[in-house]
Amino acid sequence: MEEIKVPRRRLGANGPTVPVFALGSWNTWDRMTGEEAVAIIDRAVETGAAFFDIAYYNMGPHEEHSRTDILFGEAIRASGHRRDDFMVCGKLWLWNYPELQFREQIHTSLERSGLDRFDTVVVGDYFATPDMKRVVSEVNLLIDEGLIGSWGINNWQLAHTEEALALAYAEGLVPPSFAQLKYSVVRRAMAEGEGYGRLFASGALGLQASDCLEGGILSGRGVPNRKIGADVGTIREQIYAAAPELARIAREFDATPVQLALAFCLENPATANVLFGASRLQQLEENLGALVLAERTKGSIREALPHLWLDRHVSPEGVWPGPKAG
């Protein structure tokens, strides 16, 4: 296999230094055999990409009670790697919060995955605005107890992210260090909007790019046979139509559509980490090739893709519905 070392970037001012790639995402670990999972983990450790995203999907729109986190735990133990050889990002859900408190969620997640701690966690999205002071305070209690190392937010409205940052700074607490946002060649409104852009430019937050392949649609493999992320802005049909164009441009760069899409995210200096759901070793190898592409093209990918930005009508502050362009 090609010698590749995945570079590392800081996940925001108060976050850890992490590989620029994270493996996992939604129910990834139950889309492969145990042997395939161990092979992916081994290759991730070998290349320096051993940053894994897991969650217990048990509430809100994700009330699936899947075993993906349990399967990851089984695979990581079977791989024989020491805890210091890899990093893990967990999840805290807000849909049933505060009835289901953060401490209970974390203890359940750690027990299911067989881990002693999460290096960081993402505090998930919400239907109604949570008590932000309580959220910041209770996340910090988990940090004080050594159960998590840092935290970030997932697709929050900009105003609520700014409130969480202000509360943490005022109280001398650990603020969120990163924002996990939908970001890709077709979805750029929030991640590149003025508000979040200001927070990224200041160093207050790092960007974790998620849904960067739109559930596999941008890979050119057609209609996904699994549940994928929400279609904010109602642009999915346009994304299907754009996939062949992405493939055409990728050929011009002597790359695959997946490599072009990942390299696009890496070109943004705000991007600290790109999250994807490789469920085959071959997919991981293809994705690692995006690093070679990004190094070779030196920032020229964005110039070839402006016409594929499809969510310009979505509010960059994360407020939906926004005014739809005519």
Side-chain angles (χ1 to χ4, degrees):
M1 291 184 181
E2 186 175 356
E3 287 295 325
I4 290 179
K5 277 298 176 185
V6 175
R8 301 172 76 88
R9 296 178 183 175
R10 194 162 187 84
L11 196 56
N14 296 282
T17 300
V18 301
V20 296
F21 283 159
L23 287 73
S25 191
W26 199 351
N27 289 331
T28 295
W29 301 98
D30 48 9
R31 301 204 304 270
M32 63 185 96
T33 67
E35 291 77 13
E36 288 171 329
V38 171
I40 286 175
I41 289 169
D42 286 344
R43 182 60 170 157
V45 171
E46 179 183 29
T47 59
F51 183 25
F52 305 107
D53 176 275
I54 64 170
Y56 177 28
Y57 296 101
N58 65 327
M59 65 181 70
H62 303 321
E63 195 167 0
E64 302 156 9
H65 298 281
S66 77
R67 299 184 71 252
T68 192
D69 51 334
I70 295 174
L71 295 171
F72 168 77
E74 292 173 352
I76 203 73
R77 288 189 293 278
S79 74
H81 294 292
R82 299 172 304 156
R83 181 62 180 86
D84 291 343
D85 291 337
F86 60 91
M87 305 178 73
V88 183
C89 178
K91 293 284 198 309
L92 291 170
W93 302 116
L94 288 171
W95 292 303
N96 289 24
Y97 177 83
E99 289 77 14
L100 186 57
Q101 296 187 8
F102 286 160
R103 181 177 283 102
E104 181 181 353
Q105 292 188 44
I106 283 293
H107 279 299
T108 298
S109 290
L110 290 174
E111 180 180 1
R112 285 172 59 89
S113 57
L115 298 171
D116 61 336
R117 69 189 186 279
F118 290 120
D119 298 278
T120 192
V121 296
V122 175
V123 181
D125 50 12
Y126 45 80
F127 296 133
T129 305
D131 180 340
M132 205 59 68
K133 186 171 184 178
R134 181 170 184 171
V135 167
V136 173
S137 175
E138 292 191 6
V139 169
N140 271 261
L141 288 176
L142 300 179
I143 293 174
D144 292 343
E145 293 177 31
L147 297 173
I148 65 175
S150 60
W151 67 294
I153 62 89
N154 175 49
N155 295 322
W156 284 13
Q157 292 183 21
L158 174 66
H160 300 148
T161 302
E162 291 177 325
E163 181 184 0
L165 288 166
L167 284 167
Y169 292 138
E171 299 293 330
L173 299 173
V174 178
S177 69
F178 67 99
Q180 183 188 101
L181 303 178
K182 289 178 179 290
Y183 184 50
S184 68
V185 297
V186 294
R187 296 189 191 272
R188 313 183 195 181
M190 283 183 69
E192 295 188 8
E194 181 179 350
Y196 269 107
R198 181 180 67 252
L199 295 178
F200 297 145
S202 71
L205 290 177
L207 168 63
Q208 183 179 59
S210 71
D211 292 300
C212 48
L213 299 174
E214 194 70 19
I217 296 172
L218 292 178
S219 70
R221 299 186 182 104
V223 179
N225 59 4
R226 59 185 176 86
K227 188 177 179 182
I228 63 174
D231 182 17
V232 178
T234 319
I235 61 172
R236 188 144 291 152
E237 290 305 315
Q238 294 172 262
I239 295 173
Y240 281 116
E245 172 67 1
L246 182 67
R248 182 192 67 78
I249 298 170
R251 288 192 294 271
E252 294 180 354
F253 282 93
D254 193 24
T256 69
V258 168
Q259 291 168 343
L260 193 67
L262 297 179
F264 167 85
C265 294
L266 291 172
E267 272 194 4
N268 186 340
T271 303
N273 179 259
V274 178
L275 175 62
F276 54 72
S279 56
R280 298 289 182 273
L281 184 58
Q282 182 180 4
Q283 288 179 318
L284 176 57
E285 293 298 339
E286 179 183 5
N287 293 4
L288 290 171
L291 297 169
V292 178
L293 174 64
E295 178 64 25
R296 172 165 57 85
T297 54
K298 298 292 186 184
S300 61
I301 290 174
R302 173 177 296 271
E303 298 172 3
L305 300 173
H307 58 300
L308 293 184
W309 181 355
L310 302 178
D311 74 336
R312 295 175 189 269
H313 61 287
V314 173
S315 166
E317 282 75 41
V319 181
W320 181 253
K324 181 145 185 172

